[in-house]
Structure formats: structure tokens, C-alpha cells
Amino acid sequence: MKKYILALDQGTTSSRAILFDQQGQIHGSAALEFPQHYPQPGWVEHDPNEIWNSQLTVARKVLHDHHVDAQQVLAIGIANQRETTVVWDRKTGEPIAPAIVWQDRRTADICDQLRAAGKARLIAECTGLELDAYFSATKIKWLLDHVPGARERARHGALAFGTIDTWLAWKLCGVHVTDVSNAARTMLFNIHLMRWDADLLALFDVPEQMLPQVVSSSEEVGVTRAALFGGEIPVAGIAGDQQAATFGQACHAPGMVKNTYGTGCFMLMHAGQHAAVSHNRLLSTVGWRVDGRTDYLLEGSVFMGGATVQWLRDGLGIIKQSSDVEALAGSVPDSGGVLLVPAFTGLGAPHWDPYARGTLAGMTRGTTAAHIARAAVESIAYQSAELLAAMQKDVAASHRAIPVTEVRADGGAARNDLLMQFQADLLGVPVLRPKVTETTALGAAYLAGLAVGFWESKEEIAAQWQCERRFEPAMGADQRAALLDRWSRAVERAKGWEAPF
């Protein structure tokens, strides 16, 4: 019987399941969107049970549709939307409240209070993260503060916290674990000592007994309940989606860069076996831990990437489906001077402004839906260009300076040729799109497969990476500089919009 690895790619707007063969090729896939909930401005929630049900549905579907039984699946790998926070009752397994999504900004005031108290440096030194509502710690604190009786129950060990990887592992296997890459995104984990940090737990008033056990990214943590898939399957790989994508892109050596164009955009650079220190408001984070070795990454996060295109579809109604945006945007030669700063949930790196809001600038009477669509697509590239510029500044200031010679692209929006070419033009380096663009799922599969011997080494994995198309920069330096300057002016107008005066 042919053997496979099953990757569960649980994203912000959809759950997917992909079967990979030993050549790293997709044997079959299934995907399902699930509801987004916006109970108040700035709030974003998910129903954890809807996440679980959608993920289980697609996992069963891909096995059924491709006539693969549990005995043919050597292992399951999990990649997940990061930072999204679930707290549930250990006995019943029921969440005590909706999951607070990574995009949610309700805890910005908690961050402001901690910043005013001078705690930002402690947090950055321990975790490599900016003090921001993006991460899990303030979300846990908010739930314990606002759900009646939750804090007392947590102190008595009755409640469990987890990011989505932990929630899925609990539902699949009944284990309470998270891997190092996800732990590093909670703002409670010391990335230098590789353990939950007592000072941070005290700062956020989070009882340690509600936290999961931290495991490596590539090891067997449990087996699925037989009733789920008709047999037990080991869960042997876990990584946050962006770390998984970096691993799937075979960015295993210092200086290699990938950018994922998903709901948000996430650019990560391999930083070696020591945590990098950013002086340009990027994040230093754990990439993965495999065979006892921890690899670190430098990361820049954009909150609104492909989600900006979804806004064109769902908010403005100027396209019927997300894939229509390339044709509409390509129907005009440029944006006609229009710039969209999609700060709908604030700005991420390198600005970290939770009070910024979406801004559409430069419109005239001649502005059309096509110009706005073009501006939306280009906004994704502009935000990513800011990230690479910050990375290059950090690299230039370090003793391990390695020039960036290419960026490997993945994610749904990477299929947009117009976006990829404009991105290469703005970056001034080639953008490479791999043959397998589902690199988040592929990375989770590789991590699981390494743990069970399906693949022998990272070198074997790297040899499987293939380029589907290479986008070369075609824009002059003067034009690039002028466009980026105009973008910077638009960003300044979006900043601090909701800040109290």
C-alpha cells in the first residue's frame, strides 16, 4: 500500500487537509471555509467547535475521496493560525467563550497600560516580541477577567489554554501540548531558556497549570482516537503556520527568506541557531525544534494581505470571488495614483500601531473600481516591501550579514502574477514561486514525516523544492523609490486614527 502524510492546515478563514506522498507532491486535498464573527468593532472571534468540525470534515473527506485508509497514513502534521486563543473546560472539553483571533484588537488598552508601566523591554527581551494585542497573553488575561469564575477555575486546574494547534491535538488525541514555535507566539514563553517564563505569567496573571506542555516541532505526541478515521494515526508534527511554511519552502539556512501571502502576509528570514535581535521592530521568534536543535527566525507580520481582497469581495462587492481581482486590477495600467492602506485591524510590523485604520488616498473623479482593486493588490506588495527593508537594515547591522538574493513566495495570493511581478519590482530582488504553493501544509507534513522516518533528513526535503516561476525586477530604482515614498506618506495618514486626543 502506498503511504502518505496527512497535513492539517488550520487557517484563519478556512481549514484544509492535504495528503502528501514521499516525493512531497499533493495526492489530494479538501478545504472548507468557516464563519468569522465580528461582535464589535475591532473584535474578531471564531467558534472553536466550528474550527474543529471543519478540520475534521476536510480530513475525513480527503481520505474518503482518494480511497486512503488510516493504515496508509503514517502520521499527521498540524499547521495552524497562530496566537488565536482558546480556553476550555478540561472535563467537558467545551470552550468557555469564543476564541479570540490573532487579528482582534480588544486588548490594545492592556498593552498600553503595560507599556506605560515600562514592561515592553522585559517582554521583548524574554520573548522577542513586540508588546501588542496580536499575541496570546493579553487575550488569555481578558478571558480570565471577563468570563465569570474563569480565573478561579484556572487556578484550580479546571481550565486549559491553547492556541489552535493545542486545541486540535486535544480533540484528536486528548493530549495538552504545543510545540516551541507556537509557544513562542504567546508572549509567555522565554525563547532563550525555552520554557514558560514565571515573570511573564505573573505579569499577565496567567496560572501556569492552564498551559500546555511544550514539545518539539517534529516528534510523536499522541495517536488519534480510532473512531475519528477508522484507525489510530500518530500526530507527529506541529508548527505555527508561518514557521511551517518557512520549513516547507526549505529555508533551512541563514539568510533565506520566504513570504506567505495568506489572510495576512508573513515574511520570515532564517536567523541561525541564535535568536536575532531586531532594531527595526521585527519579531525574533522560534522557527522549529528538530532532533534537539532549535532554529530561529526574524519575522515581519502584515495583518491584511489576502484579507484585503476578501474585503473587495465581501465589503465592497466589486468582485464575485477572490480570484477575479487579478483580471479587474490588470484592466488598468496602474492604480491611477490611488493608494489603499488596509489598516482595518491596525498596522503590524514595522509600525505596530493598533489605532491605525484603513485609508483610501489619492482618489479623483476618474477613479474606478479597477483602480481600487489595483490599489488593493499593490497594498499587499507595499506592506511586504517595508518588511524586507527592515530585515535588510537588521542584517546590515549584525555580524552575520548575508545579502538577500531572492524571496520565496507562497500562499493563495502568490498565484496572482500581477502581484508577484509588482512585488519583485518593489523589492528589487527576484521572487520565486514554487511548484507546490501549499507550503504551510507541506512544512507540517515534512515535520511529521521526519519524526516517523518517511523522510530521512532536511537535505532530502530541500532537494524536493522546485521553482514554478521566477519573477525578475523590472522597475528602475528611481521609480521604485518614488512609489515607496508615496506609500510612506499614505501610511502616515492612516496612523493613530482611533487614538484618543
Side-chain angles (χ1 to χ4, degrees):
M1 290 189 298
K2 195 168 182 180
K3 302 293 186 180
Y4 303 96
I5 301 294
L6 175 62
L8 306 182
D9 181 4
Q10 204 301 298
T12 308
T13 58
S14 67
S15 297
R16 64 185 61 230
I18 302 180
L19 282 166
F20 288 97
D21 64 20
Q22 200 162 16
Q23 287 69 50
Q25 298 300 304
I26 294 174
H27 179 69
S29 67
L32 185 64
E33 290 194 5
F34 59 89
Q36 310 292 299
H37 303 283
Y38 310 101
Q40 294 184 36
W43 290 31
V44 188
E45 295 180 347
H46 290 158
D47 181 335
N49 287 319
E50 288 176 343
I51 289 177
W52 164 243
N53 290 332
S54 64
Q55 190 65 78
L56 180 61
T57 296
V58 293
R60 285 173 166 169
K61 179 175 172 56
V62 73
L63 296 177
H64 175 269
D65 289 354
H66 295 275
H67 310 290
V68 173
D69 61 36
Q71 287 68 41
Q72 291 177 264
V73 181
L74 288 188
I76 289 173
I78 297 172
N80 57 286
Q81 55 164 313
R82 302 173 302 172
E83 298 95 18
T84 295
T85 297
V86 186
V87 176
W88 65 93
D89 185 287
R90 289 184 183 273
K91 285 187 177 179
T92 67
E94 283 301 308
I96 67 168
I100 303 180
V101 180
W102 59 272
Q103 297 166 316
D104 190 284
R105 310 308 297 170
R106 78 184 67 177
T107 61
D109 61 331
I110 299 175
C111 296
D112 289 344
Q113 293 163 17
L114 290 168
R115 191 174 293 106
K119 301 300 182 183
R121 175 173 287 187
L122 167 67
I123 290 168
E125 289 176 349
C126 290
T127 69
L129 306 177
E130 285 278 331
L131 173 52
D132 192 81
Y134 177 23
F135 305 105
S136 308
T138 59
K139 303 180 194 300
I140 305 170
K141 176 176 171 54
W142 191 95
L143 287 169
L144 295 183
D145 286 343
H146 287 80
V147 177
R151 188 171 298 284
E152 191 65 21
R153 292 165 67 194
R155 287 189 179 126
H156 287 91
L159 300 183
F161 151 74
T163 43
I164 298 302
D165 60 308
T166 305
W167 173 242
L168 292 180
W170 177 277
K171 299 295 281 186
L172 288 166
C173 308
V175 296
H176 190 210
V177 299
T178 191
D179 92 298
V180 291
S181 73
N182 280 293
R185 309 296 295 194
T186 61
M187 217 156 62
L188 296 171
F189 188 75
N190 190 310
I191 64 170
H192 310 286
L193 302 177
M194 299 298 285
R195 67 187 183 209
W196 300 118
D197 190 280
D199 290 337
L200 295 178
L201 294 178
L203 182 64
F204 291 101
D205 199 9
V206 173
E208 187 168 6
Q209 51 267 44
M210 71 184 299
L211 301 180
Q213 176 189 355
V214 181
V215 298
S216 294
S217 309
S218 179
E219 69 170 280
E220 185 176 329
V221 298
V223 295
T224 63
R225 290 176 284 131
L228 294 176
F229 304 113
E232 295 181 343
I233 304 173
V235 173
I238 301 174
D241 52 9
Q242 302 315 315
Q243 289 96 328
T246 309
F247 199 83
Q249 284 276 36
C251 292
H252 301 153
M256 296 186 74
V257 178
K258 74 90 196 171
N259 196 27
T260 294
Y261 298 83
T263 301
C265 289
F266 302 88
M267 185 176 287
L268 289 89
M269 174 189 285
H270 194 293
Q273 277 68 65
H274 300 281
V277 177
S278 175
H279 301 286
N280 294 279
R281 306 199 73 185
L282 300 176
L283 307 179
S284 182
T285 196
V286 175
W288 47 80
R289 186 169 179 81
V290 178
D291 291 334
R293 192 181 95 168
T294 303
D295 288 41
Y296 291 88
L297 305 172
L298 199 60
E299 175 176 339
S301 310
V302 166
F303 296 157
M304 293 291 292
T308 309
V309 176
Q310 292 175 334
W311 173 72
L312 295 180
R313 181 192 69 188
D314 303 334
L316 295 188
I318 63 175
I319 54 175
K320 289 186 176 179
Q321 51 191 15
S322 295
S323 58
D324 295 339
V325 74
E326 184 171 5
L328 180 59
S331 68
V332 290
D334 54 48
S335 71
V338 177
L339 286 167
L340 171 64
V341 182
F344 299 109
T345 57
L347 288 170
H351 307 287
W352 296 107
D353 184 351
Y355 301 109
R357 289 296 179 266
T359 303
L360 195 57
M363 290 187 293
T364 68
R365 283 291 298 272
T367 298
T368 67
H371 292 113
I372 294 173
R374 180 92 180 203
V377 170
E378 291 183 352
S379 75
I380 301 171
Y382 277 119
Q383 293 176 97
S384 296
E386 289 183 306
L387 300 182
L388 187 65
M391 283 184 179
Q392 289 172 319
K393 288 178 184 176
D394 276 338
V395 166
S398 75
H399 299 297
R400 296 169 286 171
I402 300 173
V404 175
T405 58
E406 65 182 34
V407 172
R408 296 185 174 187
D410 56 63
R415 300 185 186 97
N416 185 320
D417 290 350
L418 186 151
L419 170 60
M420 292 296 96
Q421 184 58 55
F422 190 67
Q423 185 70 89
D425 289 341
L426 284 184
L427 296 180
V429 298
V431 173
L432 279 60
R433 184 171 62 200
K435 286 189 175 180
V436 177
T437 58
E438 296 287 358
T439 54
T440 299
L442 181 58
Y446 279 149
L447 289 166
L450 284 171
V452 297
F454 195 59
W455 293 287
E456 293 298 325
S457 65
K458 287 190 289 186
E459 289 73 22
E460 180 185 355
I461 287 168
Q464 293 185 350
W465 190 92
Q466 293 178 292
C467 181
E468 180 264 326
R469 182 167 173 182
R470 182 183 180 95
F471 296 86
E472 294 284 351
M475 182 180 288
D478 289 345
Q479 183 184 0
R480 179 185 305 125
L483 288 176
L484 290 171
D485 177 68
R486 187 175 171 85
W487 168 258
S488 295
R489 289 192 288 125
V491 169
E492 287 305 311
R493 284 159 172 77
K495 285 183 175 179
W497 189 262
E498 290 294 332
F501 295 100

